[in-house]
Amino acid sequence: MKYIFKSVLVVGTILFASCSSQQSLQEYYVDNSENPNFISIDLPASILKMDAVDLNPTQKEAVESLRKFNLLAFKKDADNALEFEAEKKKVREILKGDDFVELMKINSKYGKGVIKYLGDEDAIDEVIIYGDSDDKGFALVRVLGKDMNPAHIVQLMQAIQKSDYKGEGLGEIGDFLKG
């Protein structure tokens, strides 16, 4: 009986230790979508209104690889400064994970940020754009697609600039992102 109990205890300990305690980005989105300090929105790629824009073949391929956007933003105010710091730390820890490949760092007058991706170098499934500002809060954008190419991200930005998209459909999060 002692042997069985010890065996079960050892197996249970191994199973418990093998489970990842690191929260995934998807879990973070779900856990905070109802938090009043966060603004959350899911958008289809069609919101960019790229159908009427004259695109070159590379830009077309970049746009066609998009599926949807998940946006999550924490709006900082005087009452939630401590929670802001804690949440910012959680997101940075998640983004330090081995699965994320850094594409570029951003440092502007609006704050600091990073662009990372998940997937193979030539077939990206998800691009993550994170930026924070000590004054306003932070925003986390998941760009979900199929076989996106990192080289096409610049093309995609150029295509979006060609369009007449002005942030319609973003609601409160659009106001937050504009400053």
Side-chain angles (χ1 to χ4, degrees), residues 59-85:
Q59 290 170 333
K60 262 186 191 159
E61 186 179 337
V63 169
E64 288 169 358
S65 70
L66 295 177
R67 298 274 185 253
K68 68 177 182 173
F69 303 93
N70 300 134
L71 293 91
L72 185 70
F74 185 100
K75 191 166 185 176
K76 183 182 176 191
D77 59 33
D79 297 330
N80 65 13
L82 290 175
E83 187 179 354
F84 165 71
E85 291 300 327

Side-chain angles (χ1 to χ4, degrees), residues 110-137:
Y110 303 109
K112 295 181 180 181
V114 66
I115 299 176
K116 295 190 173 203
Y117 69 86
L118 291 171
D120 297 326
E121 211 171 277
D122 56 346
I124 295 174
D125 296 321
E126 183 174 337
V127 174
I128 297 94
I129 305 165
Y130 168 78
D132 63 52
S133 162
D134 289 333
D135 298 335
K136 297 185 187 280

Side-chain angles (χ1 to χ4, degrees), residues 10-26:
V10 168
V11 170
T13 303
I14 290 170
L15 287 174
F16 182 73
S18 67
C19 292
S20 174
S21 62
Q22 174 86 19
Q23 185 178 33
S24 74
L25 194 58
Q26 177 66 29

Side-chain angles (χ1 to χ4, degrees), residues 3 5 13-14 20 26 28-29 33 44 46 58 64 85 87 91 97 102 117 124 139 152 162 168:
Y3 178 74
F5 179 73
T13 303
I14 290 170
S20 174
Q26 177 66 29
Y28 186 81
Y29 267 83
S33 63
S46 61
T58 306
E64 288 169 358
E85 291 300 327
E87 294 300 328
V91 172
E102 188 170 304
Y117 69 86
I124 295 174
H152 293 171
K162 279 185 180 180
E168 303 90 359

Side-chain angles (χ1 to χ4, degrees), residues 87-175:
E87 294 300 328
K88 181 169 76 168
K89 184 177 179 182
K90 281 183 197 176
V91 172
R92 287 182 174 178
E93 283 300 314
I94 292 169
L95 294 178
K96 282 183 185 176
D98 293 338
D99 294 343
F100 297 100
V101 179
E102 188 170 304
L103 202 55
M104 71 175 67
K105 288 187 178 191
I106 303 165
N107 194 4
S108 72
K109 65 181 181 178
Y110 303 109
K112 295 181 180 181
V114 66
I115 299 176
K116 295 190 173 203
Y117 69 86
L118 291 171
D120 297 326
E121 211 171 277
D122 56 346
I124 295 174
D125 296 321
E126 183 174 337
V127 174
I128 297 94
I129 305 165
Y130 168 78
D132 63 52
S133 162
D134 289 333
D135 298 335
K136 297 185 187 280
F138 67 79
L140 190 57
V141 181
R142 293 174 65 212
V143 181
L144 304 172
K146 182 171 170 52
D147 298 335
M148 294 183 288
N149 184 323
H152 293 171
I153 291 176
V154 172
Q155 295 289 325
L156 180 62
M157 296 302 180
Q158 291 173 347
I160 291 170
Q161 288 175 344
K162 279 185 180 180
S163 76
D164 60 354
Y165 182 69
K166 303 285 188 259
E168 303 90 359
L170 293 178
E172 190 178 353
I173 205 164
D175 297 336

